Short mmCIF file of all heavy atoms in Angstrom, two decimals:
data_model
loop_
_atom_site.label_atom_id
_atom_site.label_comp_id
_atom_site.label_asym_id
_atom_site.label_seq_id
_atom_site.Cartn_x
_atom_site.Cartn_y
_atom_site.Cartn_z
N ASN A 66 115.90 57.56 -12.60
CA ASN A 66 115.31 57.25 -11.30
C ASN A 66 116.11 57.91 -10.17
O ASN A 66 115.54 58.49 -9.25
CB ASN A 66 115.25 55.73 -11.10
CG ASN A 66 114.59 55.35 -9.81
OD1 ASN A 66 113.48 55.78 -9.49
ND2 ASN A 66 115.26 54.53 -9.04
N ALA A 67 117.43 57.84 -10.26
CA ALA A 67 118.27 58.44 -9.22
C ALA A 67 118.10 59.96 -9.19
O ALA A 67 117.96 60.55 -8.11
CB ALA A 67 119.74 58.07 -9.46
N GLU A 68 118.10 60.60 -10.35
CA GLU A 68 117.93 62.05 -10.40
C GLU A 68 116.59 62.46 -9.80
O GLU A 68 116.51 63.42 -9.04
CB GLU A 68 118.04 62.54 -11.84
CG GLU A 68 119.45 62.51 -12.38
CD GLU A 68 119.53 62.92 -13.84
OE1 GLU A 68 118.54 63.47 -14.38
OE2 GLU A 68 120.59 62.69 -14.44
N ARG A 69 115.55 61.72 -10.14
CA ARG A 69 114.22 62.03 -9.60
C ARG A 69 114.16 61.77 -8.09
O ARG A 69 113.48 62.48 -7.37
CB ARG A 69 113.14 61.23 -10.32
CG ARG A 69 113.03 61.49 -11.81
CD ARG A 69 112.62 62.89 -12.10
NE ARG A 69 111.34 63.13 -11.49
CZ ARG A 69 110.48 64.04 -11.89
NH1 ARG A 69 110.77 64.80 -12.90
NH2 ARG A 69 109.34 64.21 -11.27
N SER A 70 114.89 60.76 -7.62
CA SER A 70 114.92 60.51 -6.18
C SER A 70 115.45 61.73 -5.44
O SER A 70 114.91 62.14 -4.42
CB SER A 70 115.80 59.30 -5.87
OG SER A 70 115.19 58.11 -6.32
N PHE A 71 116.52 62.34 -5.96
CA PHE A 71 117.09 63.51 -5.29
C PHE A 71 116.19 64.73 -5.39
O PHE A 71 116.09 65.50 -4.44
CB PHE A 71 118.46 63.84 -5.86
CG PHE A 71 119.54 62.93 -5.35
CD1 PHE A 71 120.27 62.16 -6.22
CD2 PHE A 71 119.82 62.84 -4.00
CE1 PHE A 71 121.27 61.32 -5.76
CE2 PHE A 71 120.81 62.00 -3.52
CZ PHE A 71 121.54 61.23 -4.41
N THR A 72 115.53 64.93 -6.52
CA THR A 72 114.71 66.13 -6.67
C THR A 72 113.34 65.99 -6.03
O THR A 72 112.79 66.97 -5.54
CB THR A 72 114.53 66.51 -8.16
OG1 THR A 72 113.91 65.43 -8.86
CG2 THR A 72 115.86 66.85 -8.80
N ASP A 73 112.77 64.79 -6.01
CA ASP A 73 111.40 64.60 -5.54
C ASP A 73 111.29 64.09 -4.10
O ASP A 73 110.21 64.11 -3.53
CB ASP A 73 110.65 63.61 -6.43
CG ASP A 73 110.50 64.10 -7.86
OD1 ASP A 73 110.84 65.27 -8.13
OD2 ASP A 73 110.05 63.31 -8.71
N GLU A 74 112.39 63.61 -3.55
CA GLU A 74 112.34 62.98 -2.23
C GLU A 74 113.35 63.63 -1.28
O GLU A 74 114.55 63.36 -1.38
CB GLU A 74 112.67 61.48 -2.36
CG GLU A 74 111.74 60.76 -3.28
CD GLU A 74 112.29 59.40 -3.68
OE1 GLU A 74 113.08 58.82 -2.93
OE2 GLU A 74 111.95 58.94 -4.77
N PRO A 75 112.88 64.46 -0.37
CA PRO A 75 113.82 65.13 0.53
C PRO A 75 114.60 64.18 1.44
O PRO A 75 115.67 64.53 1.93
CB PRO A 75 112.93 66.06 1.35
CG PRO A 75 111.56 65.56 1.18
CD PRO A 75 111.51 64.85 -0.14
N GLY A 76 114.12 62.96 1.63
CA GLY A 76 114.80 62.01 2.50
C GLY A 76 115.85 61.15 1.83
O GLY A 76 116.50 60.33 2.47
N CYS A 77 116.07 61.32 0.50
CA CYS A 77 117.08 60.55 -0.21
C CYS A 77 118.42 61.27 -0.08
O CYS A 77 118.57 62.42 -0.49
CB CYS A 77 116.71 60.40 -1.68
SG CYS A 77 117.90 59.43 -2.63
N ARG A 78 119.42 60.59 0.48
CA ARG A 78 120.73 61.20 0.75
C ARG A 78 121.83 60.78 -0.21
O ARG A 78 122.74 61.53 -0.48
CB ARG A 78 121.17 60.91 2.19
CG ARG A 78 120.23 61.47 3.20
CD ARG A 78 120.21 62.98 3.12
NE ARG A 78 119.14 63.51 3.93
CZ ARG A 78 118.48 64.60 3.65
NH1 ARG A 78 118.77 65.29 2.58
NH2 ARG A 78 117.53 65.03 4.44
N SER A 79 121.78 59.54 -0.71
CA SER A 79 122.76 59.13 -1.71
C SER A 79 122.21 57.97 -2.52
O SER A 79 121.31 57.26 -2.06
CB SER A 79 124.10 58.76 -1.06
OG SER A 79 124.12 57.45 -0.60
N PHE A 80 122.73 57.83 -3.72
CA PHE A 80 122.26 56.81 -4.65
C PHE A 80 123.48 56.38 -5.46
O PHE A 80 123.93 57.09 -6.34
CB PHE A 80 121.19 57.40 -5.56
CG PHE A 80 120.34 56.39 -6.27
CD1 PHE A 80 118.97 56.36 -6.07
CD2 PHE A 80 120.89 55.48 -7.17
CE1 PHE A 80 118.17 55.45 -6.75
CE2 PHE A 80 120.11 54.56 -7.83
CZ PHE A 80 118.73 54.55 -7.62
N ASP A 81 124.05 55.24 -5.11
CA ASP A 81 125.22 54.72 -5.81
C ASP A 81 124.83 53.48 -6.61
O ASP A 81 124.06 52.66 -6.13
CB ASP A 81 126.31 54.30 -4.81
CG ASP A 81 126.84 55.47 -4.01
OD1 ASP A 81 127.18 56.49 -4.63
OD2 ASP A 81 126.91 55.36 -2.78
N VAL A 82 125.40 53.36 -7.79
CA VAL A 82 125.21 52.18 -8.63
C VAL A 82 126.59 51.67 -9.01
O VAL A 82 127.41 52.43 -9.52
CB VAL A 82 124.40 52.50 -9.90
CG1 VAL A 82 124.23 51.27 -10.75
CG2 VAL A 82 123.04 53.09 -9.54
N VAL A 83 126.84 50.40 -8.73
CA VAL A 83 128.13 49.81 -9.09
C VAL A 83 127.89 48.58 -9.96
O VAL A 83 126.84 47.95 -9.89
CB VAL A 83 128.98 49.45 -7.85
CG1 VAL A 83 129.34 50.70 -7.08
CG2 VAL A 83 128.27 48.46 -6.96
N CYS A 84 128.89 48.29 -10.77
CA CYS A 84 128.83 47.14 -11.67
C CYS A 84 129.94 46.17 -11.30
O CYS A 84 131.08 46.58 -11.05
CB CYS A 84 129.02 47.64 -13.10
SG CYS A 84 128.96 46.37 -14.36
N ASP A 85 129.63 44.92 -11.27
CA ASP A 85 130.58 43.86 -10.95
C ASP A 85 131.66 43.82 -12.03
O ASP A 85 131.36 43.73 -13.22
CB ASP A 85 129.82 42.54 -10.88
CG ASP A 85 130.65 41.39 -10.36
OD1 ASP A 85 131.87 41.36 -10.57
OD2 ASP A 85 130.05 40.50 -9.75
N LEU A 86 132.93 43.88 -11.64
CA LEU A 86 134.03 43.84 -12.61
C LEU A 86 134.08 42.52 -13.36
O LEU A 86 134.52 42.46 -14.51
CB LEU A 86 135.36 44.08 -11.91
CG LEU A 86 135.65 45.52 -11.52
CD1 LEU A 86 136.93 45.59 -10.69
CD2 LEU A 86 135.76 46.41 -12.73
N ALA A 87 133.66 41.44 -12.72
CA ALA A 87 133.72 40.13 -13.35
C ALA A 87 132.50 39.85 -14.23
O ALA A 87 132.52 38.93 -15.04
CB ALA A 87 133.83 39.03 -12.28
N ASP A 88 131.44 40.65 -14.07
CA ASP A 88 130.20 40.40 -14.81
C ASP A 88 129.50 41.75 -15.00
O ASP A 88 128.80 42.22 -14.12
CB ASP A 88 129.31 39.44 -14.02
CG ASP A 88 127.96 39.21 -14.68
OD1 ASP A 88 127.69 39.78 -15.76
OD2 ASP A 88 127.16 38.45 -14.10
N ASP A 89 129.69 42.38 -16.18
CA ASP A 89 129.15 43.73 -16.37
C ASP A 89 127.64 43.78 -16.56
O ASP A 89 127.08 44.81 -16.88
CB ASP A 89 129.88 44.45 -17.50
CG ASP A 89 129.57 43.91 -18.87
OD1 ASP A 89 128.90 42.87 -18.99
OD2 ASP A 89 130.00 44.55 -19.85
N HIS A 90 126.96 42.67 -16.30
CA HIS A 90 125.50 42.66 -16.29
C HIS A 90 124.95 42.54 -14.87
O HIS A 90 123.75 42.50 -14.67
CB HIS A 90 124.95 41.53 -17.17
CG HIS A 90 125.16 41.79 -18.61
ND1 HIS A 90 126.29 41.37 -19.28
CD2 HIS A 90 124.41 42.46 -19.51
CE1 HIS A 90 126.20 41.77 -20.54
NE2 HIS A 90 125.08 42.44 -20.70
N HIS A 91 125.84 42.46 -13.88
CA HIS A 91 125.44 42.38 -12.48
C HIS A 91 125.65 43.74 -11.83
O HIS A 91 126.76 44.26 -11.82
CB HIS A 91 126.24 41.31 -11.74
CG HIS A 91 125.86 41.20 -10.30
ND1 HIS A 91 126.79 41.02 -9.32
CD2 HIS A 91 124.65 41.27 -9.68
CE1 HIS A 91 126.17 40.97 -8.15
NE2 HIS A 91 124.88 41.12 -8.35
N PHE A 92 124.57 44.32 -11.29
CA PHE A 92 124.61 45.64 -10.69
C PHE A 92 124.16 45.59 -9.25
O PHE A 92 123.33 44.75 -8.87
CB PHE A 92 123.68 46.60 -11.44
CG PHE A 92 124.19 46.97 -12.80
CD1 PHE A 92 123.97 46.14 -13.89
CD2 PHE A 92 124.90 48.14 -13.00
CE1 PHE A 92 124.43 46.46 -15.15
CE2 PHE A 92 125.37 48.47 -14.25
CZ PHE A 92 125.14 47.63 -15.33
N VAL A 93 124.69 46.52 -8.47
CA VAL A 93 124.25 46.70 -7.09
C VAL A 93 124.00 48.20 -6.90
O VAL A 93 124.83 49.02 -7.27
CB VAL A 93 125.30 46.21 -6.08
CG1 VAL A 93 124.86 46.51 -4.65
CG2 VAL A 93 125.55 44.72 -6.25
N PHE A 94 122.83 48.51 -6.36
CA PHE A 94 122.52 49.90 -5.98
C PHE A 94 122.64 49.97 -4.47
O PHE A 94 122.26 49.03 -3.76
CB PHE A 94 121.08 50.30 -6.28
CG PHE A 94 120.58 50.00 -7.65
CD1 PHE A 94 119.23 49.90 -7.88
CD2 PHE A 94 121.43 49.82 -8.73
CE1 PHE A 94 118.73 49.62 -9.13
CE2 PHE A 94 120.94 49.54 -9.99
CZ PHE A 94 119.58 49.44 -10.18
N HIS A 95 123.09 51.11 -4.00
CA HIS A 95 123.14 51.35 -2.56
C HIS A 95 122.58 52.75 -2.36
O HIS A 95 123.21 53.73 -2.77
CB HIS A 95 124.57 51.24 -2.04
CG HIS A 95 124.65 51.36 -0.57
ND1 HIS A 95 124.27 50.36 0.30
CD2 HIS A 95 125.06 52.39 0.21
CE1 HIS A 95 124.45 50.75 1.53
NE2 HIS A 95 124.93 51.97 1.51
N GLU A 96 121.40 52.83 -1.77
CA GLU A 96 120.73 54.10 -1.56
C GLU A 96 120.63 54.37 -0.07
O GLU A 96 120.37 53.46 0.71
CB GLU A 96 119.33 54.05 -2.17
CG GLU A 96 119.33 53.64 -3.63
CD GLU A 96 117.95 53.30 -4.14
OE1 GLU A 96 117.00 54.02 -3.82
OE2 GLU A 96 117.83 52.29 -4.86
N LEU A 97 120.82 55.63 0.33
CA LEU A 97 120.68 56.00 1.73
C LEU A 97 119.51 56.97 1.89
O LEU A 97 119.38 57.93 1.13
CB LEU A 97 121.95 56.67 2.25
CG LEU A 97 123.14 55.77 2.47
CD1 LEU A 97 124.35 56.59 2.90
CD2 LEU A 97 122.84 54.70 3.51
N TYR A 98 118.69 56.69 2.89
CA TYR A 98 117.52 57.50 3.21
C TYR A 98 117.55 57.89 4.68
O TYR A 98 118.14 57.19 5.50
CB TYR A 98 116.23 56.72 2.91
CG TYR A 98 116.07 56.45 1.44
CD1 TYR A 98 116.59 55.30 0.87
CD2 TYR A 98 115.43 57.36 0.61
CE1 TYR A 98 116.46 55.05 -0.49
CE2 TYR A 98 115.31 57.12 -0.75
CZ TYR A 98 115.82 55.97 -1.29
OH TYR A 98 115.70 55.74 -2.63
N ASP A 99 116.90 58.99 5.01
CA ASP A 99 116.88 59.46 6.39
C ASP A 99 116.32 58.43 7.36
O ASP A 99 116.84 58.25 8.45
CB ASP A 99 116.05 60.74 6.52
CG ASP A 99 116.75 61.95 5.94
OD1 ASP A 99 118.00 61.93 5.83
OD2 ASP A 99 116.06 62.92 5.60
N ASP A 100 115.23 57.79 6.96
CA ASP A 100 114.55 56.85 7.85
C ASP A 100 113.63 55.95 7.02
O ASP A 100 113.56 56.08 5.79
CB ASP A 100 113.77 57.59 8.94
CG ASP A 100 112.85 58.67 8.38
OD1 ASP A 100 112.36 58.54 7.22
OD2 ASP A 100 112.62 59.66 9.08
N GLU A 101 112.91 55.06 7.69
CA GLU A 101 112.03 54.14 6.97
C GLU A 101 110.90 54.87 6.26
O GLU A 101 110.46 54.45 5.18
CB GLU A 101 111.50 53.08 7.93
CG GLU A 101 112.60 52.12 8.36
CD GLU A 101 112.11 51.07 9.34
OE1 GLU A 101 111.03 50.51 9.12
OE2 GLU A 101 112.84 50.82 10.32
N ALA A 102 110.44 55.98 6.82
CA ALA A 102 109.38 56.77 6.16
C ALA A 102 109.89 57.32 4.83
O ALA A 102 109.13 57.38 3.85
CB ALA A 102 108.92 57.90 7.08
N ALA A 103 111.15 57.70 4.77
CA ALA A 103 111.73 58.21 3.51
C ALA A 103 111.83 57.11 2.47
O ALA A 103 111.62 57.35 1.27
CB ALA A 103 113.11 58.83 3.77
N VAL A 104 112.12 55.87 2.90
CA VAL A 104 112.15 54.74 1.97
C VAL A 104 110.75 54.50 1.42
O VAL A 104 110.57 54.29 0.22
CB VAL A 104 112.69 53.46 2.66
CG1 VAL A 104 112.55 52.26 1.74
CG2 VAL A 104 114.14 53.64 3.07
N GLU A 105 109.75 54.56 2.28
CA GLU A 105 108.37 54.37 1.83
C GLU A 105 107.94 55.49 0.89
O GLU A 105 107.22 55.25 -0.09
CB GLU A 105 107.42 54.26 3.03
CG GLU A 105 107.60 52.97 3.80
CD GLU A 105 107.55 51.72 2.93
OE1 GLU A 105 106.65 51.60 2.08
OE2 GLU A 105 108.43 50.85 3.09
N ALA A 106 108.39 56.72 1.15
CA ALA A 106 108.10 57.83 0.24
C ALA A 106 108.72 57.58 -1.13
O ALA A 106 108.13 57.88 -2.17
CB ALA A 106 108.61 59.15 0.83
N HIS A 107 109.92 57.00 -1.14
CA HIS A 107 110.56 56.64 -2.40
C HIS A 107 109.72 55.62 -3.16
O HIS A 107 109.46 55.77 -4.35
CB HIS A 107 111.95 56.07 -2.11
CG HIS A 107 112.60 55.40 -3.29
ND1 HIS A 107 113.01 56.11 -4.39
CD2 HIS A 107 112.90 54.11 -3.53
CE1 HIS A 107 113.54 55.27 -5.27
NE2 HIS A 107 113.48 54.06 -4.77
N ARG A 108 109.27 54.60 -2.47
CA ARG A 108 108.47 53.55 -3.12
C ARG A 108 107.13 54.07 -3.62
O ARG A 108 106.56 53.51 -4.56
CB ARG A 108 108.27 52.39 -2.16
CG ARG A 108 109.54 51.62 -1.91
CD ARG A 108 109.32 50.49 -0.95
NE ARG A 108 110.53 49.69 -0.81
CZ ARG A 108 110.83 49.00 0.26
NH1 ARG A 108 110.02 48.99 1.31
NH2 ARG A 108 111.95 48.31 0.31
N ALA A 109 106.60 55.11 -2.99
CA ALA A 109 105.31 55.67 -3.38
C ALA A 109 105.43 56.77 -4.44
O ALA A 109 104.41 57.19 -5.01
CB ALA A 109 104.60 56.23 -2.14
N ALA A 110 106.64 57.22 -4.72
CA ALA A 110 106.85 58.32 -5.67
C ALA A 110 106.46 57.89 -7.08
O ALA A 110 106.71 56.75 -7.48
CB ALA A 110 108.31 58.77 -5.63
N PRO A 111 105.86 58.81 -7.85
CA PRO A 111 105.45 58.47 -9.22
C PRO A 111 106.59 57.95 -10.09
O PRO A 111 106.40 57.04 -10.90
CB PRO A 111 104.89 59.78 -9.77
CG PRO A 111 104.46 60.54 -8.56
CD PRO A 111 105.44 60.16 -7.48
N HIS A 112 107.79 58.49 -9.95
CA HIS A 112 108.90 58.04 -10.80
C HIS A 112 109.30 56.60 -10.47
O HIS A 112 109.87 55.92 -11.31
CB HIS A 112 110.11 58.97 -10.68
CG HIS A 112 110.79 58.92 -9.37
ND1 HIS A 112 110.44 59.73 -8.32
CD2 HIS A 112 111.80 58.14 -8.92
CE1 HIS A 112 111.21 59.45 -7.29
NE2 HIS A 112 112.05 58.49 -7.62
N PHE A 113 108.99 56.12 -9.27
CA PHE A 113 109.34 54.75 -8.93
C PHE A 113 108.48 53.76 -9.73
O PHE A 113 108.97 52.71 -10.14
CB PHE A 113 109.19 54.51 -7.42
CG PHE A 113 109.74 53.19 -6.97
CD1 PHE A 113 111.09 52.93 -7.05
CD2 PHE A 113 108.91 52.20 -6.50
CE1 PHE A 113 111.62 51.70 -6.65
CE2 PHE A 113 109.42 50.98 -6.08
CZ PHE A 113 110.77 50.73 -6.16
#
């Protein structure tokens, strides 16, 4: 999903995934987009 975000969405600037050290089943993603339209383009993308 992250790779496709970068190749298919010009407004995707970063995509980080971190795992909680105390619980390796708890994840947090932090994605940066140019603007709200870029977030909506992400949600509308076929890979999403």
Side-chain angles (χ1 to χ4, degrees):
N66 183 52
E68 287 177 12
R69 299 296 300 205
S70 290
F71 283 120
T72 59
D73 296 352
E74 302 165 26
C77 181
R78 298 296 170 212
S79 84
F80 198 120
D81 296 311
V82 179
V83 296
C84 181
D85 189 329
L86 284 173
D88 176 1
D89 71 352
H90 289 91
H91 180 221
F92 289 83
V93 176
F94 311 158
H95 185 74
E96 306 168 42
L97 287 176
Y98 294 90
D99 287 337
D100 51 29
E101 290 179 44
V104 173
E105 290 308 314
H107 168 68
R108 290 179 175 153
H112 69 270
F113 190 66

